[in-house]
Amino acid sequence: MILSTIVGGLSLTTTLAWGHALSLLERQSTGAVTYSMNVTNCPGYALGSLAENEYGLTAQLSLAGTPCNAFGTDIMDLTIEVTYQSQTTLHVKIYDTANQQFTIPESVIERPPTPTESFTGSSDLVFNYDPSPFAFWITRRSDPEAMPIFDTRITSFPSTPIPPFNTSDPSTAFDGFPLVFEDQYLQVASALPYGTNVYGLGEVIASSSFRRDIGTDGGVGTIQTLWARDVADPLDQNLYGAHPIYLEHRFNETTNTSSSSGVLLLSSAGSDIILQTPPNSKVSLIEYRMVGGILDFYFFSGPTDTEVIAQYGATIGYPTWQPAWGFGFHLCRWGYVNISEDIANVAAMRAASIPLEVQWNDIDVYDTYRDFTTDPVRFPHEELEQFIEQLAANHQHYIPIVDVAIALTVNATDVYYPFSDGVAKNTYIKNPDGSLYIGEFWPGYTAYPDWFAENTQAWWTDALTNWTELGVHFSGLWLDVNEASSFCSDSCGTGANLSAVQPFNVIGTVVTGYPECYNETLWGPSGNMTINGTSTNSCPPGTTETLSKRGTGVGGEPNVNINNPPYAIHNGYGGLSQHTLATNATHSGGYIELDVHNLFGMMEEKTTHLALQTILKGKRPFLISRSTFPSSGRWTGHWLGDNYSKWEYMHLSIQGILQFQIFQIPMVGGDTCGFNDNTDEELCNRWMQLAAFTPFYRNHNTYGALPQEPYRWDSVANASRIAIAARYSMLPYWYTLFANASTNGLPPVRALFYEFPTEPELFNVDRQWLIGSDILVTPVLTPGATTVDGIFPGRGTVVWRDWWTHAVVDANPGGNTTLSAPISHINVHIRDSSILLLHQEPAYTIYETREGSYSLLVSLNKAGTALGNAYVDDGESYPPGANRILNFSASNGELDIESMGEFSIHQKLVTVTILGVQQPTTVTLNGGKIEGWTYNGANEELIIPNLSVELNAAQTKLSWE
């Protein structure tokens, strides 16, 4: 029963919920409840009544013995619901029968509806169980003899106790593997194949690479902590987002076959997820340790990697539709920029002929760091409005930042409508006593939006609308620090003199760090690659800095103080209230921050997305945000946070982009050239090229650092022009991949093994990636290099052709091939069997590029066949309206184009290039002979220019013989 009585500005539900939590702490401190801090004697559960239904089953579970009260109070009665959601998705939900534990509301994340047909007898996933002690395991109907996808049976694990795998951290021991379900602690584990391949579980920058360390082959295992945190991109610690989803890729050497599956635990609880292979164990394992909530599992059968990702998307929501302009090059700088500098930068980019699609502003734009304002000196709103209007006239765009902390007014004469309107509408998070929760951020003391509150959507929409009426006509928004971040712990401003804390000031800050091979003391602060003809690279290739991996035991490391909950998850800051909202911060509806912390960023993204639907009527909202959670991709894209100008961080950005494809947030990228510290010319040159082949492409650096706009160095400008031209040429391909993501959940960027799942040499590759299935990118990731090693998948069965020259690569099957990579060159290759629709003449803006004509690139395989498709629409309408689907196929000396849809394409197809063809004598278009074509025998390349093919025609045939 929901009680809506209000007590002192706080709902009675809230008071009762926090009172329950306080009583637990009081009982613990007074000795009324003593926690054993050990699961050895936890009895598990026994199955009671069970009822099968058309879609699965429902059963009761009862505690099977004396409560162990390991890290909380054991819950006696549980309910399990098993639903065969589809042929490929199985839902297993275990919750307290009394429904007192926090469960993510349907209003926050919409769940799949009840199936319209029964899949109990046909699903590839099969739910199996033992009644006492209760355990379940998930098998494949198509491969019943294989090791289960998920297996909680005690007999499947090695014997316990197992000593800590980190001797300084006792919590890394395994005292036992029972099912534990307590009010403050849940535990469940599954046996996995020894040394299996696990991907996902984040957000994280993993020192082990994209493939997670599972404790075999010399690894130490993984503790993945899920607690959203504002921190500058450390290794192996919890970061901005929480994504309890993993993909497992299994390879059978005996049969040379593979299969993949996925597991989602849809919980926002602070958690440790442990991957480990105990000594002498025949299996690896995953164990979940949560400080609240319920066990809400979804299992995905794949069996391919991309199908697993798509099945996850079908469960939590496919990614939002991106506007075409979002794929352009974005530019931002933080460092007390003013409107004159923005204008000068835009002009300099044009003068250097480096395409610029979007100009961004960081918190420089604000008046004393207050959201929804403009600085009257540095960004007078009339001048900013004129600047934005000029960008729009040139078909460019503008994006400002939105911080999540709202400044408090400091006295009676201080007028700040966003704050006062929020107070009037009751849209802020509270303390347990109903008073305003006050943290501290850039503007001083701050309040935090309560996304659960009834009036928050209208208040937030009004604040953004009013900002546009001040002349800030944004095309999209940048949502930062939404973990949420606070510079103090707990409600530090409660009862304080609000005028005593002034806005932060970083004026005069000078950044001195440079990439590890640039010696500022020797060469000065220019960051140039050569000075007076001498290379400034101070270290040979292969000797760049190795980033330090932290110990896997924050809970047992010095200066860590975690008092609540009793189980201390491995939060990098220690206490869960450090640098963020306190765990007792109270939300509308009776929710406390302890339960909903990881949802904060996603809920802001949803609220902002819906606001932009109102403000930018009929246009696709474009958002880039920092803290994310399952379903964030429905509302936003993501950047990889506050990285560093280091060569290794350029490499690490690749695993981040691959991670977020699994997480169904495909519009993702790192801050190009690095954010923290200074970049240098060589690093920025290589990074501008690498990032051109990733979804989100933005150059951004910190205050006080060396300016790193790409026009600053001639070589970087040249590299940027080359790479951006290729990116804009590929835009129809990118756009089609993202349409497939938004309609089917398929990942636009792919690890190599997704397409070649039976080639184990690819399972740990994260220095290369595929765009879709057809474009292979092999960047230079070390300083001073003029070559790069890369593997070409297919083991000799696939023909790979150079993007730039169309020459066939003489690749080493199954091993590395050394490629030439002089400065300003990035290796990009086209897979055979592919047909790509391209823009014929990449232009300065996406609009100008899209207005130009098309070309078609056909890369035939050894059998002379190829396939491809393209999705075309107006690039901006929301919801997406009329579109046209183009299907391409080539075989037996003929290229067929099939066109379907209501959208009219006014641009013509003017050039067709066919690779892998013998020199023809005749070329015909729709039966008519055409002239003017050329043939390059060295590349087996047929080029047919000066066409004028109507792409709205239902059928088009081009033949050569």
Side-chain angles (χ1 to χ4, degrees), residues 683-717:
L683 175 63
C684 199
N685 183 303
R686 295 299 193 185
W687 209 329
M688 281 295 295
Q689 289 215 308
L690 177 151
F693 298 91
T694 67
F696 177 55
Y697 186 20
R698 183 183 72 169
N699 181 312
H700 177 222
N701 65 332
T702 191
Y703 61 83
L706 187 70
Q708 62 186 44
E709 294 86 359
Y711 64 80
R712 299 283 180 174
W713 297 279
D714 287 344
S715 79
V716 179

Short mmCIF file of all heavy atoms in Angstrom, two decimals, residues 683-717:
data_model
loop_
_atom_site.label_atom_id
_atom_site.label_comp_id
_atom_site.label_asym_id
_atom_site.label_seq_id
_atom_site.Cartn_x
_atom_site.Cartn_y
_atom_site.Cartn_z
N LEU A 683 50.77 12.98 -31.22
CA LEU A 683 49.63 12.30 -30.62
C LEU A 683 48.33 12.83 -31.20
O LEU A 683 47.43 12.06 -31.55
CB LEU A 683 49.65 12.49 -29.10
CG LEU A 683 48.45 11.93 -28.34
CD1 LEU A 683 48.37 10.42 -28.49
CD2 LEU A 683 48.53 12.31 -26.86
N CYS A 684 48.20 14.14 -31.33
CA CYS A 684 46.96 14.73 -31.85
C CYS A 684 46.76 14.35 -33.32
O CYS A 684 45.63 14.12 -33.75
CB CYS A 684 47.00 16.25 -31.67
SG CYS A 684 45.38 17.04 -31.76
N ASN A 685 47.84 14.26 -34.07
CA ASN A 685 47.76 13.83 -35.47
C ASN A 685 47.15 12.43 -35.56
O ASN A 685 46.18 12.21 -36.30
CB ASN A 685 49.18 13.86 -36.05
CG ASN A 685 49.24 13.50 -37.51
OD1 ASN A 685 48.80 12.44 -37.93
ND2 ASN A 685 49.83 14.38 -38.31
N ARG A 686 47.72 11.51 -34.79
CA ARG A 686 47.24 10.13 -34.85
C ARG A 686 45.81 10.01 -34.29
O ARG A 686 45.00 9.25 -34.81
CB ARG A 686 48.18 9.22 -34.06
CG ARG A 686 49.59 9.10 -34.63
CD ARG A 686 49.60 8.51 -36.04
NE ARG A 686 50.95 8.13 -36.44
CZ ARG A 686 51.27 7.67 -37.65
NH1 ARG A 686 50.32 7.56 -38.60
NH2 ARG A 686 52.51 7.32 -37.93
N TRP A 687 45.51 10.78 -33.25
CA TRP A 687 44.21 10.66 -32.59
C TRP A 687 43.10 11.25 -33.45
O TRP A 687 41.99 10.73 -33.50
CB TRP A 687 44.26 11.32 -31.22
CG TRP A 687 43.33 10.74 -30.20
CD1 TRP A 687 42.11 10.17 -30.43
CD2 TRP A 687 43.54 10.66 -28.79
NE1 TRP A 687 41.54 9.74 -29.26
CE2 TRP A 687 42.40 10.04 -28.22
CE3 TRP A 687 44.57 11.08 -27.94
CZ2 TRP A 687 42.28 9.82 -26.84
CZ3 TRP A 687 44.44 10.86 -26.57
CH2 TRP A 687 43.30 10.23 -26.04
N MET A 688 43.38 12.38 -34.11
CA MET A 688 42.37 12.95 -35.00
C MET A 688 42.00 11.97 -36.10
O MET A 688 40.84 11.90 -36.53
CB MET A 688 42.86 14.26 -35.60
CG MET A 688 42.77 15.47 -34.68
SD MET A 688 41.06 15.94 -34.24
CE MET A 688 40.43 16.45 -35.84
N GLN A 689 42.96 11.19 -36.56
CA GLN A 689 42.65 10.20 -37.59
C GLN A 689 41.89 9.02 -37.01
O GLN A 689 40.89 8.57 -37.58
CB GLN A 689 43.94 9.73 -38.25
CG GLN A 689 44.57 10.81 -39.14
CD GLN A 689 45.24 10.24 -40.36
OE1 GLN A 689 46.06 9.34 -40.24
NE2 GLN A 689 44.91 10.73 -41.53
N LEU A 690 42.35 8.50 -35.87
CA LEU A 690 41.65 7.38 -35.25
C LEU A 690 40.19 7.72 -34.98
O LEU A 690 39.27 6.97 -35.33
CB LEU A 690 42.37 7.00 -33.95
CG LEU A 690 41.76 5.88 -33.09
CD1 LEU A 690 42.87 5.16 -32.30
CD2 LEU A 690 40.73 6.41 -32.09
N ALA A 691 39.95 8.87 -34.36
CA ALA A 691 38.60 9.22 -33.92
C ALA A 691 37.65 9.48 -35.08
O ALA A 691 36.43 9.41 -34.92
CB ALA A 691 38.64 10.43 -33.00
N ALA A 692 38.21 9.78 -36.25
CA ALA A 692 37.36 9.98 -37.43
C ALA A 692 36.62 8.71 -37.82
O ALA A 692 35.63 8.78 -38.57
CB ALA A 692 38.20 10.48 -38.61
N PHE A 693 37.07 7.58 -37.32
CA PHE A 693 36.44 6.30 -37.66
C PHE A 693 35.73 5.69 -36.43
O PHE A 693 35.56 4.49 -36.33
CB PHE A 693 37.49 5.35 -38.24
CG PHE A 693 38.08 5.88 -39.51
CD1 PHE A 693 39.24 6.66 -39.49
CD2 PHE A 693 37.46 5.65 -40.73
CE1 PHE A 693 39.77 7.18 -40.66
CE2 PHE A 693 37.98 6.16 -41.91
CZ PHE A 693 39.14 6.94 -41.87
N THR A 694 35.32 6.57 -35.52
CA THR A 694 34.50 6.19 -34.37
C THR A 694 33.20 6.99 -34.44
O THR A 694 33.12 8.02 -35.10
CB THR A 694 35.24 6.46 -33.05
OG1 THR A 694 35.40 7.88 -32.87
CG2 THR A 694 36.59 5.78 -33.03
N PRO A 695 32.16 6.56 -33.73
CA PRO A 695 30.86 7.21 -33.91
C PRO A 695 30.82 8.68 -33.50
O PRO A 695 30.40 9.54 -34.29
CB PRO A 695 29.93 6.36 -33.03
CG PRO A 695 30.57 5.02 -33.00
CD PRO A 695 32.04 5.31 -32.97
N PHE A 696 31.20 9.00 -32.26
CA PHE A 696 31.17 10.38 -31.79
C PHE A 696 32.57 10.96 -31.89
O PHE A 696 33.52 10.40 -31.35
CB PHE A 696 30.65 10.44 -30.36
CG PHE A 696 30.66 11.82 -29.76
CD1 PHE A 696 30.01 12.87 -30.39
CD2 PHE A 696 31.32 12.07 -28.55
CE1 PHE A 696 30.02 14.15 -29.83
CE2 PHE A 696 31.33 13.33 -27.99
CZ PHE A 696 30.68 14.37 -28.64
N TYR A 697 32.71 12.11 -32.53
CA TYR A 697 34.00 12.64 -32.94
C TYR A 697 34.12 14.08 -32.43
O TYR A 697 33.63 15.01 -33.07
CB TYR A 697 34.10 12.57 -34.47
CG TYR A 697 35.41 12.93 -35.11
CD1 TYR A 697 36.61 12.93 -34.42
CD2 TYR A 697 35.44 13.25 -36.47
CE1 TYR A 697 37.80 13.25 -35.05
CE2 TYR A 697 36.63 13.57 -37.11
CZ TYR A 697 37.80 13.57 -36.40
OH TYR A 697 38.98 13.88 -37.04
N ARG A 698 34.76 14.23 -31.28
CA ARG A 698 34.90 15.55 -30.68
C ARG A 698 36.31 15.75 -30.13
O ARG A 698 36.84 14.90 -29.43
CB ARG A 698 33.90 15.75 -29.52
CG ARG A 698 33.96 17.14 -28.90
CD ARG A 698 33.01 17.28 -27.71
NE ARG A 698 33.48 16.54 -26.55
CZ ARG A 698 32.96 16.66 -25.33
NH1 ARG A 698 31.94 17.49 -25.13
NH2 ARG A 698 33.43 15.95 -24.32
N ASN A 699 36.89 16.90 -30.44
CA ASN A 699 38.16 17.32 -29.88
C ASN A 699 37.85 18.26 -28.71
O ASN A 699 37.14 19.24 -28.88
CB ASN A 699 38.98 18.04 -30.96
CG ASN A 699 40.35 18.51 -30.47
OD1 ASN A 699 40.48 19.13 -29.42
ND2 ASN A 699 41.36 18.26 -31.28
N HIS A 700 38.38 17.92 -27.52
CA HIS A 700 38.06 18.69 -26.32
C HIS A 700 39.21 18.59 -25.34
O HIS A 700 39.73 17.50 -25.11
CB HIS A 700 36.77 18.12 -25.69
CG HIS A 700 36.38 18.78 -24.41
ND1 HIS A 700 35.92 18.07 -23.31
CD2 HIS A 700 36.36 20.08 -24.03
CE1 HIS A 700 35.63 18.91 -22.34
NE2 HIS A 700 35.89 20.13 -22.74
N ASN A 701 39.61 19.73 -24.74
CA ASN A 701 40.68 19.67 -23.74
C ASN A 701 40.37 20.55 -22.56
O ASN A 701 39.42 21.34 -22.56
CB ASN A 701 42.04 20.00 -24.35
CG ASN A 701 42.14 21.43 -24.84
OD1 ASN A 701 41.15 22.06 -25.21
ND2 ASN A 701 43.35 21.96 -24.87
N THR A 702 41.18 20.41 -21.53
CA THR A 702 40.91 21.03 -20.24
C THR A 702 41.42 22.47 -20.18
O THR A 702 42.18 22.93 -21.05
CB THR A 702 41.52 20.20 -19.10
OG1 THR A 702 41.05 20.67 -17.86
CG2 THR A 702 43.04 20.28 -19.12
N TYR A 703 41.01 23.16 -19.11
CA TYR A 703 41.46 24.53 -18.90
C TYR A 703 42.96 24.56 -18.62
O TYR A 703 43.54 23.64 -18.02
CB TYR A 703 40.70 25.16 -17.72
CG TYR A 703 40.88 24.46 -16.40
CD1 TYR A 703 41.99 24.70 -15.59
CD2 TYR A 703 39.94 23.53 -15.96
CE1 TYR A 703 42.15 24.03 -14.39
CE2 TYR A 703 40.09 22.87 -14.74
CZ TYR A 703 41.21 23.13 -13.97
OH TYR A 703 41.37 22.47 -12.78
N GLY A 704 43.61 25.60 -19.08
CA GLY A 704 45.02 25.78 -18.80
C GLY A 704 45.95 24.94 -19.64
O GLY A 704 47.17 24.99 -19.48
N ALA A 705 45.40 24.13 -20.54
CA ALA A 705 46.22 23.24 -21.35
C ALA A 705 46.55 23.88 -22.69
O ALA A 705 45.92 24.85 -23.13
CB ALA A 705 45.51 21.91 -21.57
N LEU A 706 47.52 23.32 -23.34
CA LEU A 706 47.92 23.76 -24.67
C LEU A 706 46.73 23.67 -25.63
O LEU A 706 46.07 22.63 -25.69
CB LEU A 706 49.04 22.86 -25.17
CG LEU A 706 49.74 23.21 -26.48
CD1 LEU A 706 50.59 24.45 -26.32
CD2 LEU A 706 50.61 22.03 -26.92
N PRO A 707 46.40 24.71 -26.36
CA PRO A 707 45.29 24.61 -27.33
C PRO A 707 45.56 23.47 -28.31
O PRO A 707 46.69 23.26 -28.75
CB PRO A 707 45.31 25.97 -28.03
CG PRO A 707 45.95 26.89 -27.05
CD PRO A 707 46.98 26.07 -26.34
N GLN A 708 44.49 22.72 -28.64
CA GLN A 708 44.69 21.54 -29.48
C GLN A 708 43.70 21.47 -30.64
O GLN A 708 43.46 20.40 -31.18
CB GLN A 708 44.62 20.26 -28.64
CG GLN A 708 43.28 20.02 -27.95
CD GLN A 708 43.32 18.83 -27.03
OE1 GLN A 708 44.26 18.64 -26.26
NE2 GLN A 708 42.28 18.00 -27.09
N GLU A 709 43.12 22.62 -31.01
CA GLU A 709 42.30 22.61 -32.22
C GLU A 709 43.14 22.11 -33.38
O GLU A 709 44.34 22.40 -33.46
CB GLU A 709 41.76 24.02 -32.50
CG GLU A 709 40.78 24.56 -31.46
CD GLU A 709 41.45 25.24 -30.28
OE1 GLU A 709 42.71 25.28 -30.26
OE2 GLU A 709 40.74 25.71 -29.38
N PRO A 710 42.55 21.36 -34.29
CA PRO A 710 43.36 20.68 -35.30
C PRO A 710 44.09 21.59 -36.27
O PRO A 710 45.02 21.14 -36.96
CB PRO A 710 42.35 19.79 -36.04
CG PRO A 710 41.02 20.34 -35.70
CD PRO A 710 41.13 20.96 -34.36
N TYR A 711 43.73 22.87 -36.32
CA TYR A 711 44.46 23.77 -37.22
C TYR A 711 45.76 24.26 -36.60
O TYR A 711 46.55 24.94 -37.27
CB TYR A 711 43.58 24.97 -37.60
CG TYR A 711 43.19 25.88 -36.46
CD1 TYR A 711 44.08 26.84 -35.97
CD2 TYR A 711 41.94 25.78 -35.87
CE1 TYR A 711 43.73 27.67 -34.92
CE2 TYR A 711 41.59 26.60 -34.81
CZ TYR A 711 42.48 27.55 -34.33
OH TYR A 711 42.13 28.37 -33.29
N ARG A 712 46.02 23.92 -35.32
CA ARG A 712 47.18 24.48 -34.62
C ARG A 712 48.51 24.00 -35.19
O ARG A 712 49.53 24.67 -35.06
CB ARG A 712 47.11 24.13 -33.13
CG ARG A 712 45.87 24.67 -32.41
CD ARG A 712 45.99 26.14 -32.12
NE ARG A 712 44.81 26.66 -31.42
CZ ARG A 712 44.71 27.89 -30.95
NH1 ARG A 712 45.73 28.73 -31.08
NH2 ARG A 712 43.60 28.30 -30.35
N TRP A 713 48.53 22.80 -35.76
CA TRP A 713 49.74 22.26 -36.39
C TRP A 713 49.40 21.87 -37.82
O TRP A 713 48.35 21.27 -38.09
CB TRP A 713 50.23 21.01 -35.65
CG TRP A 713 50.65 21.21 -34.23
CD1 TRP A 713 51.85 21.69 -33.80
CD2 TRP A 713 49.90 20.89 -33.04
NE1 TRP A 713 51.90 21.70 -32.43
CE2 TRP A 713 50.71 21.21 -31.94
CE3 TRP A 713 48.63 20.37 -32.82
CZ2 TRP A 713 50.30 21.03 -30.62
CZ3 TRP A 713 48.20 20.18 -31.51
CH2 TRP A 713 49.03 20.51 -30.43
N ASP A 714 50.31 22.14 -38.73
CA ASP A 714 50.05 21.85 -40.15
C ASP A 714 49.81 20.37 -40.38
O ASP A 714 48.93 19.97 -41.15
CB ASP A 714 51.23 22.33 -41.01
CG ASP A 714 51.27 23.85 -41.13
OD1 ASP A 714 50.25 24.50 -40.81
OD2 ASP A 714 52.33 24.38 -41.53
N SER A 715 50.62 19.51 -39.72
CA SER A 715 50.46 18.07 -39.97
C SER A 715 49.13 17.57 -39.42
O SER A 715 48.49 16.69 -40.01
CB SER A 715 51.62 17.29 -39.34
OG SER A 715 51.45 17.12 -37.95
N VAL A 716 48.69 18.11 -38.30
CA VAL A 716 47.40 17.71 -37.73
C VAL A 716 46.27 18.20 -38.63
O VAL A 716 45.28 17.48 -38.83
CB VAL A 716 47.25 18.24 -36.29
CG1 VAL A 716 45.90 17.83 -35.71
CG2 VAL A 716 48.38 17.70 -35.41
N ALA A 717 46.42 19.40 -39.14
CA ALA A 717 45.40 19.92 -40.07
C ALA A 717 45.30 19.02 -41.29
O ALA A 717 44.19 18.69 -41.75
CB ALA A 717 45.75 21.35 -40.47
#
